[in-house]
Amino acid sequence: MTLTASTFRARPAATSTPPVRLARPDVTVIGALLAATFVVVLSATVMTVAIPPLIHDLAVPATSAQWLTTGYMLTMAIVIPITAFLAHRFRLRPLYITAMSLFLAGTLLSATAPGFQTLLIGRVVQATGGAIITPLMLTTVATLVPTAVRGRTMGVITLVMAVAPALGPTASGLIVDALGWRALFWLTLPIAAAAFVFGLLVVRDVSEPAPARFELLSALLSAIGFGGVIIGLTGLAGKAGSSSGLPAWASLTLGAAALALFTRRQLRLGDRALVDLRTFRAPAFATGVALLALTMIGLFGALLLLPLYLQDVRGLTTAQTGLALLPGGITAGILAPLVGRISDRHGPGAVLTPGAIVLSSALWTLAFTGEHTDYGWVVAAHVLLNVGVALLMTPLFTVGLNATAGPLSSHASAILNTVQQVAGAAGGALLIALTSAITRSRTSHGTNEQIAAAAGIHGGFLTAASISLAGIGLAVGIARSRRPRAEKPTRTTYDGRRGAWRGQRCPTAPRHL
């Protein structure tokens, strides 16, 4: 046999790689956590249209009844930062059982509440359990799901988290009109119980706990900080001609000071921090968190302002308002898995910039709706808004989880969920405060109430649209920083002097990236 150079020429390497698949037990664990998350998100949104009948049935003022939603968000904002410690210190299964038990107990307490105080306590207990579930799911995804298919997985998660808010107001309006507000909790109870039983059967421990010390001072500073900001902004939004806004501003000042101390303490504690802020050393994570905050301001602003517009300006009922918002949520749910696949294949930057542009365009469209705008135009703008949210949410969570690794993944999950809650609640309260101020000013000058309300809502949407412009710049920055680099083609040659194979970069390798 004659040996020539061609004898040692390697065969071309296969260009395709086998698809990455999750093991079935991992899929069932994530599925159980996702089912629980669906119930939690659904419960958070059903109360938005049930406030008016609650005010009448329980004989409480509107400012008190509003705490059924504000208290829920506030509790989640306080508890979520602690979940990073819980994920390190305890196993997944007992955490899941504790969280769902709290949620079920809160739901039952709310359904049987004899008065407003008991109902509020039930909502707080609900939120305590719910605040543990969602970060726990994201931490589990970061642990079990390979980076190559994480965008696809987040797409499915976004689908569930988009469908729940879409169904919540619609179902709530129909149920309250037909059966009363207590039916919201009685109907939630069996759904939550079924998700709990499913989780008991399949949820297993996916990581080993490590010794950790609970940082009590940090937890207190976090609670005072986030609580002060949300309560202050809610106080501004609920202000209706009171002589002084000092309590709201005092709460905001106290909250801001506590958050500053909280941040300083976390940086000093390092590995022992309640929330490890070293995650922000990854530029992609820091920019992604900022863009997530702007996205939530736009989304929650629309969720709060659009019902006001449809009911106060256009005169729709709660059920009609829920039906008008349904197409947008369904659209986001349909797009989420597709966006996840595109993000895995082409990188998050392929959808982040278009998503920020679409979101901003939708908010600018809503900013110029008036008392005579066609209903179809309003619904179309809301659908466009949800398209932008679908294009943003999946890659943003994927970027955040991919930018951190190992022990920092639970802290990244806690930060992402905290920002989602706080930015949504605080941004929504700020926009409502601005809307209320403009409406009161126009009404005090003798303007018709309908026209004054339209002017206030226009101001709120205009502010949200202006804020969204900054999101476009952040999205472009993430897309540029995460542009994938082409892998240099190689060919294998035989080095006769070394008696070994060696790789050599192909001189014709493309250099387009």
Side-chain angles (χ1 to χ4, degrees):
M1 177 179 177
T2 305
L3 297 181
T4 63
S6 61
T7 306
F8 298 99
R9 188 172 296 141
R11 294 180 180 179
T15 57
S16 61
T17 57
V20 179
R21 295 184 183 276
L22 291 178
R24 185 175 295 275
D26 295 343
V27 173
T28 54
V29 169
I30 295 173
L33 294 174
L34 193 54
T37 300
F38 174 82
V39 180
V40 169
V41 176
L42 185 67
S43 179
T45 58
V46 294
M47 292 301 297
T48 54
V49 298
I51 297 299
L54 276 167
I55 293 172
H56 179 267
D57 289 352
L58 300 178
V60 294
T63 51
S64 298
Q66 195 64 37
W67 271 97
L68 293 174
T69 55
T70 303
Y72 194 96
M73 292 187 295
L74 177 59
T75 303
M76 294 194 76
I78 291 173
V79 175
I80 285 175
I82 304 174
T83 58
F85 162 78
L86 296 176
H88 276 295
R89 183 65 181 82
F90 302 101
R91 298 179 186 272
L92 173 61
R93 184 175 173 83
L95 277 179
Y96 174 83
I97 293 173
T98 302
M100 288 303 294
S101 298
L102 285 171
F103 185 83
L104 284 167
T107 304
L108 181 61
L109 184 60
S110 299
T112 58
F116 175 76
Q117 289 79 8
T118 308
L119 177 59
L120 181 59
I121 293 172
R123 288 288 285 173
V124 169
V125 175
Q126 256 192 332
T128 303
I132 299 174
I133 287 294
T134 306
L136 206 60
M137 177 190 63
L138 292 179
T139 302
T140 304
V141 168
T143 303
L144 298 179
V145 180
T147 305
V149 294
R150 196 169 288 170
R152 195 173 309 171
T153 306
M154 289 306 305
V156 176
I157 292 173
T158 305
L159 183 153
V160 173
M161 297 180 71
V163 170
L167 295 178
T170 304
S172 176
L174 296 173
I175 291 170
V176 170
D177 285 348
L179 303 174
W181 61 268
R182 290 185 187 273
L184 295 176
F185 299 103
W186 285 119
L187 293 176
T188 300
L189 200 59
I191 300 174
F196 182 41
V197 172
F198 176 55
L200 285 177
L201 296 175
V202 302
V203 169
R204 57 183 175 79
D205 299 323
V206 298
S207 61
E208 289 296 324
R213 180 183 172 214
F214 182 63
E215 236 292 305
L216 179 60
L217 180 57
S218 296
L220 292 175
L221 289 174
S222 170
I224 296 171
F226 292 125
V229 170
I230 293 177
I231 292 173
L233 289 174
T234 303
L236 290 177
K239 182 183 174 185
S242 61
S243 58
S244 173
L246 180 60
W249 288 112
S251 179
L252 282 172
T253 303
L254 177 63
L259 285 178
L261 292 174
F262 172 78
T263 302
R264 181 181 178 184
R265 183 164 181 80
Q266 302 317 293
L267 293 174
R268 290 180 59 186
L269 288 173
D271 293 337
R272 297 179 290 112
L274 181 68
V275 178
D276 198 331
L277 300 182
R278 289 178 299 174
T279 51
F280 286 95
R281 291 179 180 176
F285 180 83
T287 310
V289 167
L291 182 53
L292 176 64
L294 297 180
T295 302
M296 297 311 298
I297 290 174
L299 175 61
F300 272 74
L303 288 176
L304 292 171
L305 294 177
L306 260 182
L308 290 177
Y309 169 78
L310 293 173
Q311 294 179 45
D312 295 348
V313 179
R314 307 307 297 271
L316 298 186
T317 65
T318 53
Q320 290 171 331
T321 300
L323 290 173
L325 300 178
L326 185 60
I330 292 176
T331 301
I334 293 173
L335 285 177
L338 176 62
V339 172
R341 288 186 174 90
I342 295 174
S343 179
D344 281 340
R345 182 171 299 178
H346 302 287
V351 287
L352 279 177
T353 303
I357 293 173
V358 170
L359 177 69
S360 183
S361 301
L363 289 172
W364 281 106
T365 302
L366 290 170
F368 291 98
T369 54
E371 56 269 25
H372 302 297
T373 304
D374 184 73
Y375 286 117
W377 184 256
V378 177
V379 173
H382 183 248
V383 169
L384 187 66
L385 176 81
N386 279 272
V387 171
V389 171
L391 292 173
L392 286 168
M393 292 296 288
T394 298
L396 280 178
F397 275 93
T398 304
V399 166
L401 293 178
N402 288 351
T404 56
L408 290 180
S409 60
S410 60
H411 293 277
S413 173
I415 292 171
L416 290 170
N417 279 275
T418 301
V419 168
Q420 188 178 13
Q421 293 294 327
V422 173
L430 181 63
L431 294 177
I432 290 293
L434 179 62
T435 299
S436 301
I438 296 174
T439 302
R440 288 196 300 268
S441 176
R442 293 294 183 93
T443 304
S444 65
H445 288 83
T447 306
N448 177 275
E449 289 187 4
Q450 183 185 21
I451 298 176
I457 292 169
H458 165 74
F461 272 125
L462 194 63
T463 302
S466 301
I467 293 173
S468 70
L469 294 176
I472 297 177
L474 291 175
V476 171
I478 295 176
R480 287 180 175 175
S481 65
R482 297 185 65 84
R483 182 177 297 166
R485 299 181 63 88
E487 185 177 343
K488 303 298 184 182
T490 60
R491 66 185 180 197
T492 307
T493 58
Y494 186 76
D495 190 336
R497 290 182 300 176
R498 294 173 55 203
W501 297 94
R502 63 184 176 89
Q504 181 181 17
R505 188 164 68 92
C506 178
T508 58
R511 301 180 180 271
H512 59 280
L513 287 178

